[in-house]
Amino acid sequence: MKKILVTGATGQIGSELTLVLRDQYGAENVIAAAYNRRSSTELPESGPFYGIDVRDTDSIEQIVADHRCDTIFHLAALLSAVAEDRPQEAWDINMNGLINVLEASRKHRCSVFFPSSIGAFGPGTPANDTPQDTMQRPTTIYGITKVSGELLCDYYYRRFGVDTRGLRYPGLISSKVLPGGGSTDYAVEIFYAALTARHYDCFLSAETQLDMMYMPDAIDAAIRLMNADNNTLRHRNAFNVTAMSFTPAKLAAEIQKHIPDFTIAYAIDPVRQAIASSWPRHMDDSAARAEWGWQPRFDLAAMVRDMLEKIAVKIQNG
Ligand code: SER
C-alpha cells in the first residue's frame, strides 16, 4: 500500500482508520472521501479530502487516477437499521458504490478492502461457532447487500484479478464517532448514558448475544489483512473476525464494576431486535487466525475500561 483511498472516511470506522493510515503511510498518501464533507474538520485539515457520492462513477475514478491510488478501503454504506427503513436507497448506495469502486480498481489495478458483517448471515445459519464457510441467507436488505458484496468481490478477483479482501465485522464499539443506524449501536450508546444519566434504556433484550469488537482491533485487522501475503490466503471475501461475544446484561454488569449505581432497563425496538435475533451469537474466526494471524487485543474488561476513560474525557471537553 502506497497511495490509499478511504471512502466513507467520516463514518464510524473511517474516521479512525484514516488517521491511523495517515500516521503509518504519510498524510499526503491517504485520500479521504466522504459524502458528508462537513461532518469532520480533522480529516480535511490533516490530508487530502474530497466530498463525493460513491454512486457517482466518475468522481471515484477521477480521484483514483489523479492520485494514482493502489488501494481502496471502501467503507461507505448504510448500516442495518437505517437500511431497513430505506431499502431501495440501501441497495443503491451499498451495491452501486461497491461496483463503482471495483470498476475503478479493475481499470487502475487497485486492491480493495470491503467490510462485510455478521449481517451477512441469517436465521438459518448456525448461531454458535458460526463456521467460516456456511449457509448465508440473510433476511435484511443490509445483509443481502453484504453477502452480494462478498460474492461480487470474489467475482472481481477470479474474473479480473482484482485483489479483493474483506472481513465479516461484528458490532463495532468506538469512542470517537457514533455508529450511524446499526442494530449493535446500543453497545456504544450505553457508555454515554452510564457516564451522564447513570441509566440506559436498551433497545435489545437482556439476553441478545452478539459478537463485538473494539475499534482499535477492527482497524488493526483491516490493515493486517491488506498487508497479508497473498499466497497464505485461502479465503478472501470475507473472513469471520470476532474479539468478544456478550449480551446487554453482561455489558451492563461489566460497566457496573466501574459505576456501581448504573442501571439498565429494556425498551425493545422490534425492528432492531428482529435484525439482531437473525444474526450469529458467536462466530468461529479460526480461518482468519490461521491464514493471516488475526489476534484481537481487547476483551470485554479491557474494552469497557478504555471506553469509560475515553468517553469521560470526551464528555468533560464538551
Ligand atoms: N453493526 C452493524 C449494524 O448493526 C453490523 O454490521 O448494522
Side-chain angles (χ1 to χ4, degrees):
M1 294 196 279
K2 289 197 175 73
K3 278 272 183 187
I4 303 164
L5 168 63
V6 182
T7 72
T10 54
Q12 190 194 11
I13 305 173
S15 56
E16 297 198 38
L17 175 69
T18 308
L19 295 179
V20 172
L21 288 171
R22 281 183 175 168
D23 254 11
Q24 293 183 6
Y25 294 89
E28 70 287 358
N29 296 321
V30 181
I31 294 94
Y35 183 66
N36 191 353
R37 62 162 79 215
R38 274 180 292 278
S39 61
S40 167
T41 48
E42 207 173 6
L43 292 180
E45 278 168 12
S46 64
F49 184 89
Y50 293 86
I52 61 157
D53 184 330
V54 288
R55 291 171 290 187
D56 177 6
T57 317
D58 294 342
S59 53
I60 292 183
E61 216 189 313
Q62 195 65 50
I63 296 171
V64 168
D66 287 352
H67 290 272
R68 297 174 182 273
C69 294
D70 56 46
T71 306
I72 305 179
F73 286 81
H74 176 50
L75 307 178
L78 293 193
L79 284 181
S80 61
V82 80
E84 217 47 49
D85 198 39
R86 292 157 20 210
Q88 296 82 359
E89 193 184 344
W91 178 267
D92 190 19
I93 293 173
N94 293 13
M95 295 315 300
N96 289 325
L98 176 61
I99 198 132
N100 285 341
V101 163
L102 289 170
E103 271 298 287
S105 302
R106 179 177 69 80
K107 292 179 192 156
H108 299 273
R109 310 309 301 161
C110 300
S111 302
V112 177
F113 174 82
F114 170 69
S116 188
S117 159
I118 48 174
F121 297 115
T125 305
N128 294 311
D129 295 325
T130 307
Q132 171 65 40
D133 302 305
T134 185
M135 174 173 157
Q136 289 180 265
R137 302 286 290 179
T139 47
T140 64
I141 189 68
Y142 175 72
I144 292 166
T145 66
K146 288 299 179 187
V147 79
S148 306
E150 290 185 8
L151 294 171
L152 198 57
C153 286
D154 273 348
Y155 180 77
Y156 267 71
Y157 174 65
R158 268 200 312 272
R159 180 80 168 77
F160 303 117
V162 177
D163 182 2
T164 54
R165 304 178 184 196
L167 299 171
R168 292 186 189 126
Y169 277 132
L172 295 180
I173 300 159
S174 58
S175 58
K176 202 173 164 81
V177 168
L178 289 169
S183 304
T184 55
D185 298 11
Y186 89 85
V188 180
E189 291 170 3
I190 195 170
F191 289 96
Y192 292 85
L195 286 161
T196 53
R198 296 279 189 273
H199 178 78
Y200 181 60
D201 285 320
C202 185
F203 60 75
L204 295 185
S205 71
E207 297 313 322
T208 307
Q209 188 189 330
L210 292 167
D211 280 308
M212 297 278 175
M213 187 184 294
Y214 196 32
M215 191 58 82
D217 279 329
I219 286 168
D220 181 58
I223 296 174
R224 193 181 285 238
L225 173 62
M226 292 311 283
N227 281 323
D229 180 351
N230 199 44
N231 297 323
T232 69
L233 300 183
R234 218 167 53 73
H235 297 86
R236 293 193 155 262
N237 303 290
F239 286 93
N240 288 359
V241 279
T242 184
M244 58 193 97
S245 171
F246 57 71
T247 63
K250 200 168 164 201
L251 176 57
E254 192 61 38
I255 292 173
Q256 279 158 351
K257 291 182 186 166
H258 301 265
I259 306 174
D261 60 343
F262 170 63
T263 56
I264 186 164
Y266 297 91
I268 292 165
D269 167 9
V271 173
R272 285 181 286 187
Q273 182 66 56
I275 295 173
S277 300
S278 76
W279 290 349
R281 283 190 283 275
H282 181 254
M283 289 185 286
D284 172 3
D285 62 4
S286 52
R289 289 172 191 260
E291 291 179 39
W292 50 274
W294 160 238
Q295 180 74 62
R297 284 186 299 129
F298 286 87
D299 61 10
L300 174 61
M303 177 276 288
V304 166
R305 207 178 313 116
D306 203 60
M307 274 295 278
L308 286 172
E309 272 174 33
K310 295 221 159 69
I311 303 296
V313 171
K314 211 172 154 188
I315 291 169
Q316 221 168 32
N317 295 339

